[in-house]
Amino acid sequence: MALLGQYAMNGAMLGMMYALVAVGFTLFFGVLDVIQFSHGDVVAAGAFAGLLAYAALSFFGVHAPGVLLLAVILAAALATIVVGVLVARFLVLPIKGAPQLNVLLVTLMMGTVVRECIRLFFPNGSQPQRFPALLPSSGWNLGAFYLRFDNVILLTCGGLLIAATHLLITRTRLGLAIRAVAQDEETARTMGIDFKRVVLVTFALGSVLAAFAGVMDGLYYNEVFFGMGLLLGVIGFAAAILGGLGNLYGAIVGGFLFAALQTVGAVALPFASAYKDVFAFGVVIVLMAVRPTGLIGERVSERV
Amino acid sequence: MRPRTSGLSLQAAVALLAAAVLGWPLIFRGPYPQHIMILILLNALLGTAWNILGGFAGQISLGQAIFFGAGAYTSTLLAQHAEISPWIGLVAGALVAIVIAIAIGGPCFRLSGHYFAIATIALGEIAAIAVTNWDYAGGAVGLFLPVEGTGLAQMKFDDKRGYHYVICALLVLALAVTVWLRGARAGYYWRAIREDQAAARSAGVPATRYKLLAISISAALTAMAGTFYAQYVLFIDPPSVLPLSLSIQICLVAVLGGAGTLLGPLLGAAVLVPLSAATSVLLGGSGRSLDLVVYGALIMVIAVFEPSGLVGLWRRISATVSRN
């Protein structure tokens, strides 16, 4: 029973990370109909920028965990916004009219560049880096199950962040503009919406979510690695597709579903836990074949 | 359509190029230029194979490494456990790849566009994980090829010239298949499917069957390249024959050269392989290798400024030249 609780907690943490990444994919696809394949490496860039901020502040003698954590998150968000907006402005927007494959390849190469830059320019970057534990490590003993505070805090913050994104999209003028562009770019333009600005803001928004996913990954595993974004990106994209690209709720459901599949693959199935990703991706492919538009349904664009 | 270079001069150019490629290892005696040319031809073969599926039939595969690995592993395992000649392994690997291709195509061809592409990425990752944990196939450690003498029968040679001519022959086979199918019924059906699958279906094109044909041929040719690679390098492991980066590289060769054209993949390989080699020679080494950064940046620049590929650029230039 305690073990089950542990697995459920681990699955929830993974699911939250995947959901945060998947929401980014789904937002980008919504406004621009593109797949931003360097998104996973943007996550890694966020985590390493946070680490850099931590090292710098420690160097200057700041040791209050709260201040450090805030600095880590701010630095991560700043780095991902810069990378995300640059990708949108100089790579994705200029080739909007080209075949989708070009965008895919260009962003894949951008991911390689970001990954290699982390490996080369971060001190000793080719090795996994220790990520500081900035959250309280105590917890509650619930019977045999030990509920850690840091996990609860991370899950709560992730949930709040997603809720905030949801409110931003559904309740604000900016969200209205984003939805208008997603529904019909031409009409949105004629209604006086600054298309380019909306796209850049959307990329910034998705990248901030990625920054939090990166910091969350670091705090949870106490370790970050320059190549961490590759698998995280593929999984985040698979999760977004699972739920239906362009659909915010779909991305969240997809993220948690993928984590659940991995957990089931690692725990309940009779083969080695190394095959958990094989199992999860296998199920994703079967689900995609059965429901090609995703579980919740892809945003249907109405074009004349 | 764009004005095309006249048939005669194009034939002459192709003949000249073929002569240069065939004579290359006789002119350049050093192992490094010979190695680069073999890599160019190998990438051209892989790009040509991708092009049948991605360029003509319009099904973007980012999982070609699966077929490459199928060829490399099948022939190597046959050689290791049953002392079977790599030439038989070449055919066996191609057959295994066809079986895998049909197993993939069955469910995945219900998906279109980027959905198919992501499915192939996921399948590629699955294949890499599965082989890494498969002890019979060497697992994460990899496999060394047994070397029992060299010569054409063993598909292993003492110097690079032998390898050069084997990969030339395989590339000619791939180009011949492309030329033949491009003008046959399959080629027209593929283009119809690529442009508009629903319209093609309603006009009576059996789309799924012809997409399966495309992926089978593409897989078989890619697997042959995998067998060749194993004989050339004499060591295979999942990171060398099954990585996502290989699948991306294959796709890049064809797309940057010009997808859906006969010579595009050759052009792509002839530009990308030396580019990659030059960046790693100039910027690699001494532990801080900037090569992948620069290589990636250059590819981004080409793709942003020349979305139709190098063939498009070449056509524009030749059109300008012939006008003046």
Side-chain angles (χ1 to χ4, degrees):
Chain A
M1 190 59 212
L3 207 58
L4 204 64
Q6 218 65 261
Y7 283 126
M9 194 58 184
N10 184 47
M13 293 296 289
L14 287 176
M16 184 59 80
M17 281 179 229
Y18 298 160
L20 287 167
V21 180
V23 167
F25 275 110
T26 234
L27 283 175
F28 305 152
F29 185 82
V31 290
L32 218 47
D33 284 4
V34 296
I35 314 292
Q36 211 278 70
F37 243 111
S38 49
H39 195 51
D41 296 293
V42 171
V43 174
F48 275 85
L51 204 53
L52 215 55
Y54 171 79
L57 281 183
S58 305
F59 181 76
F60 289 114
V62 180
H63 292 296
V67 178
L68 283 172
L69 185 61
L70 197 66
V72 164
I73 291 175
L74 284 179
L78 193 67
T80 53
I81 288 177
V82 168
V83 178
V85 169
L86 285 179
V87 167
R89 174 67 188 79
F90 293 105
L91 294 178
V92 180
L93 277 176
I95 53 172
K96 196 165 78 70
Q100 286 230 334
L101 179 61
N102 288 44
V103 183
L104 194 77
L105 286 178
V106 165
T107 52
L108 272 171
M109 291 323 285
M110 180 64 195
T112 307
V113 170
V114 171
R115 205 155 54 240
E116 284 292 303
C117 283
I118 294 174
R119 185 174 74 83
L120 291 172
F121 298 118
F122 198 86
N124 200 15
S126 56
Q127 299 300 316
Q129 304 287 317
R130 205 186 70 80
F131 204 90
L134 296 170
L135 291 170
S137 56
S138 53
W140 292 296
N141 266 315
L142 302 174
F145 172 57
Y146 187 66
L147 183 65
R148 291 170 52 135
F149 287 144
D150 55 353
N151 291 0
V152 176
I153 295 171
L154 284 175
L155 275 182
T156 313
C157 290
L160 287 176
L161 205 56
I162 289 181
T165 309
H166 170 70
L167 288 178
L168 182 78
I169 299 284
T170 52
R171 299 286 156 83
T172 63
R173 276 182 75 83
L174 176 65
L176 191 64
I178 292 177
R179 278 181 292 142
V181 167
Q183 196 165 48
D184 190 334
E185 182 202 321
E186 291 290 313
T187 312
R189 275 174 192 271
T190 58
M191 296 296 168
I193 290 172
D194 185 345
F195 172 70
K196 207 164 168 181
R197 205 183 117 245
V198 168
V199 167
L200 294 182
V201 168
T202 309
F203 270 72
L205 179 64
S207 302
V208 168
L209 298 178
F212 190 80
V215 172
M216 190 171 167
D217 191 289
L219 288 172
Y220 186 59
Y221 290 114
N222 291 318
E223 192 178 82
V224 288
F225 178 55
F226 77 93
M228 67 192 257
L230 194 60
L231 192 60
L232 211 51
V234 174
I235 290 177
F237 182 43
I241 285 216
L242 203 53
L245 265 181
N247 184 315
L248 200 65
Y249 311 109
I252 298 162
V253 171
F256 282 98
L257 186 61
F258 195 94
L261 288 171
Q262 273 184 322
T263 311
V264 169
V267 179
L269 294 173
F271 33 73
S273 67
Y275 287 101
K276 67 179 195 296
D277 290 342
V278 174
F279 171 72
F281 279 122
V283 173
V284 168
I285 289 170
V286 171
L287 284 176
M288 273 164 64
V290 177
R291 289 198 60 118
T293 53
L295 293 176
I296 298 201
E298 194 168 339
R299 172 185 58 80
V300 181
S301 52
E302 289 166 24
R303 295 188 194 284
V304 185
Chain B
M1 285 304 290
R2 294 185 188 83
R4 301 193 57 152
T5 347
S6 73
L8 196 65
S9 74
L10 187 70
Q11 278 170 8
V14 167
L16 208 67
L17 199 67
V21 169
L22 284 175
W24 183 273
L26 304 174
I27 302 163
F28 294 94
R29 294 294 180 146
Y32 188 67
Q34 292 186 353
H35 173 64
I36 293 295
M37 185 46 99
I38 289 171
L39 283 187
I40 291 177
L41 295 169
L42 178 65
N43 276 277
L45 170 60
L46 291 168
T48 303
W50 182 93
N51 201 26
I52 291 174
L53 178 62
F56 291 108
Q59 309 300 310
I60 307 305
S61 161
L62 284 171
Q64 294 294 91
I66 300 170
F67 309 131
F68 191 79
Y73 271 100
T74 304
S75 60
T76 304
L77 287 173
L78 285 176
Q80 210 163 48
H81 294 282
E83 292 173 20
I84 287 172
S85 152
W87 291 102
I88 299 174
L90 183 90
V91 177
L95 292 176
V96 169
I98 290 176
V99 170
I100 296 175
I102 290 173
I104 291 176
C108 291
F109 277 143
R110 299 189 45 167
L111 311 166
S112 62
H114 42 267
Y115 289 87
F116 180 74
I118 183 66
T120 57
I121 291 183
L123 284 165
E125 292 300 289
I126 289 177
I129 296 168
V131 174
T132 307
N133 291 288
W134 185 23
D135 292 331
Y136 182 75
V141 182
L143 293 172
F144 283 97
L145 272 83
V147 182
E148 282 141 14
T150 52
L152 190 59
Q154 273 78 35
M155 211 201 286
K156 296 181 190 68
F157 306 93
D158 292 321
D159 69 357
K160 295 195 189 306
R161 261 181 300 174
Y163 290 110
H164 180 91
Y165 291 113
V166 169
I167 190 72
C168 275
L170 289 176
L171 179 59
V172 168
L173 171 70
L175 290 173
V177 168
T178 305
V179 170
W180 171 49
L181 288 174
R182 187 171 66 154
R185 181 193 299 262
Y188 291 99
Y189 280 1
W190 286 338
R191 265 163 277 172
I193 293 166
R194 179 186 68 193
E195 295 308 325
D196 190 337
Q197 178 168 305
R201 276 225 165 91
S202 68
V205 173
T208 305
R209 204 191 309 160
Y210 275 86
K211 285 197 282 187
L212 285 174
L213 178 69
I215 197 174
S216 300
I217 294 167
S218 181
L221 291 170
T222 308
M224 289 180 184
T227 299
F228 169 82
Y229 174 87
Q231 313 309 313
Y232 183 55
V233 178
L234 297 175
F235 170 72
I236 56 170
D237 65 347
S240 67
V241 297
L242 283 165
L244 175 61
S245 55
L246 174 67
S247 298
I248 295 171
Q249 168 80 11
I250 293 172
C251 185
L252 274 176
V253 161
V255 172
L256 288 187
T261 61
L262 178 66
L263 298 177
L266 309 192
L267 198 58
V271 170
L272 281 188
V273 172
L275 189 65
S276 156
T279 47
S280 69
V281 167
L282 293 175
L283 302 163
S286 70
R288 294 182 67 81
S289 45
L290 263 174
D291 53 337
L292 275 176
V293 175
V294 174
Y295 181 61
L298 285 173
I299 286 166
M300 285 191 279
V301 168
I302 298 176
V304 168
F305 290 106
E306 196 52 57
S308 58
L310 296 168
V311 163
L313 184 68
W314 184 58
R315 277 192 189 140
R316 265 217 316 269
I317 292 171
S318 62
T320 318
V321 169
S322 64
R323 215 180 298 130
N324 295 341

